[in-house]
């Protein structure tokens, strides 16, 4: 069984998809810990409702970046996490966590990287940039996390056509729906060994 650690900042809708897919057997694994930088995050409530250990770890709990990074890495290690998934986690992963889980930390991005990625490219900013560019396709990228924003190796991409009548909300709705499917498919492939991550990055 694949042991998944999830880092999330907000409501946890992607986390819920992962929890549901594990419960139904679509993913041969389980979420063993959820960490959020936001003490009021819906993700923490969803984790607790599912009986998953949930931790608020942030500058409010650990005033220096080094101690916070160490606490996150320790919580993941204590739960023997195989793969770390960033599900709407808006903080940079620290060097201790990156080193401990190098090649096993994944993130999704709501565009076709390397386009429309990098610092500041999150949330509606991405969809606004895609529409302003006139691109005919957007999509979802799943990539390994490294020391910078959205620069790690892309391991899976799915295209989502941009329609002529699209606004930010309509494009976002289609990309987010696709994103949830891609997350489940990617973790399912890792769990069965179809997609191998260890030692890569």
């Amino acid at each position: 069984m694949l042991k998944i650690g999830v880092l999330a900042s907000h409501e946890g809708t992607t986390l819920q998809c992962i929890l549901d897919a594990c419960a139904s057997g679509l993913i041969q694994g389980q979420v063993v810990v959820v960490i959020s930088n936001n003490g009021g995050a819906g993700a923490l409530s969803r984790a607790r409702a599912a009986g998953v250990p949930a931790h608020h770890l942030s500058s409010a709990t650990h005033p220096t970046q080094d101690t916070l990074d160490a606490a996150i890495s320790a919580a993941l290690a204590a739960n023997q996490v195989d793969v770390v998934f960033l599900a709407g986690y808006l903080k940079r992963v620290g060097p201790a966590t990156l080193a401990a889980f190098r090649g096993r930390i994944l993130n999704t991005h709501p565009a076709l990287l390397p386009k429309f990625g990098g610092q500041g490219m999150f949330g509606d900013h991405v969809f606004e940039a895609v529409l302003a560019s006139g691109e005919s396709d957007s999509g979802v990228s799943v990539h390994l996390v490294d020391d910078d924003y959205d620069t790690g190796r892309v391991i899976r991409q799915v295209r989502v056509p941009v329609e002529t009548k699209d606004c930010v909300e309509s494009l976002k709705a289609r990309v987010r729906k696709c994103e949830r499917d891609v997350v489940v498919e990617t973790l399912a492939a890792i769990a069965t060994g179809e997609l191998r991550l260890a030692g890569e990055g």
Side-chain angles (χ1 to χ4, degrees):
M1 295 286 280
L2 185 72
K3 293 182 178 180
I4 305 163
V6 175
L7 275 59
S9 292
H10 295 301
E11 285 309 303
T13 53
T14 300
L15 166 64
Q16 191 64 56
C17 288
I18 297 171
L19 290 168
D20 292 345
C22 289
S24 70
L26 280 174
I27 298 172
Q28 295 175 26
Q30 63 182 112
V31 178
V32 294
V33 64
V34 173
I35 297 168
S36 180
N37 61 299
N38 175 4
L44 295 176
S45 298
R46 291 175 189 268
R48 291 171 183 135
V52 176
H55 305 286
H56 167 219
L57 297 175
S58 71
S59 57
T61 63
H62 295 77
T64 71
Q65 287 299 313
D66 287 348
T67 57
L68 174 58
D69 185 17
I72 291 171
S73 182
L76 294 168
N79 287 280
Q80 300 179 309
V81 166
D82 298 313
V83 172
V84 181
F85 204 94
L86 309 188
Y89 187 65
L90 300 182
K91 296 293 185 180
R92 190 193 292 262
V93 177
T97 303
L98 278 175
F101 296 91
R102 178 74 64 178
R104 295 185 288 143
I105 306 176
L106 299 176
N107 184 45
T108 60
H109 187 74
L112 298 174
L113 293 174
K115 294 180 178 180
F116 309 109
Q119 189 166 8
M121 276 290 136
F122 62 89
D124 286 354
H125 299 302
V126 178
F127 305 110
E128 290 165 357
V130 170
L131 291 172
S133 74
E135 293 274 345
S136 60
D137 288 299
S138 187
V140 176
S141 302
V142 180
H143 65 95
L144 294 174
V145 174
D146 60 13
D147 305 283
D148 207 348
Y149 292 103
D150 303 324
T151 58
R153 182 169 64 84
V154 174
I155 62 171
R156 191 172 292 233
Q157 280 189 326
V158 176
R159 292 183 177 274
V160 175
V162 177
E163 299 177 359
T164 55
K165 65 179 187 302
D166 267 332
C167 62
V168 167
E169 290 304 316
S170 61
L171 178 60
K172 176 166 64 174
R174 292 202 316 284
V175 170
R176 292 301 190 196
K177 181 180 184 302
C178 177
E179 185 176 43
R180 292 190 288 270
D181 293 339
V182 173
V183 167
V184 170
E185 290 164 7
T186 301
L187 289 171
I190 294 169
T192 61
E194 175 190 339
L195 179 58
R196 298 187 179 277
L197 298 179
E200 301 175 1

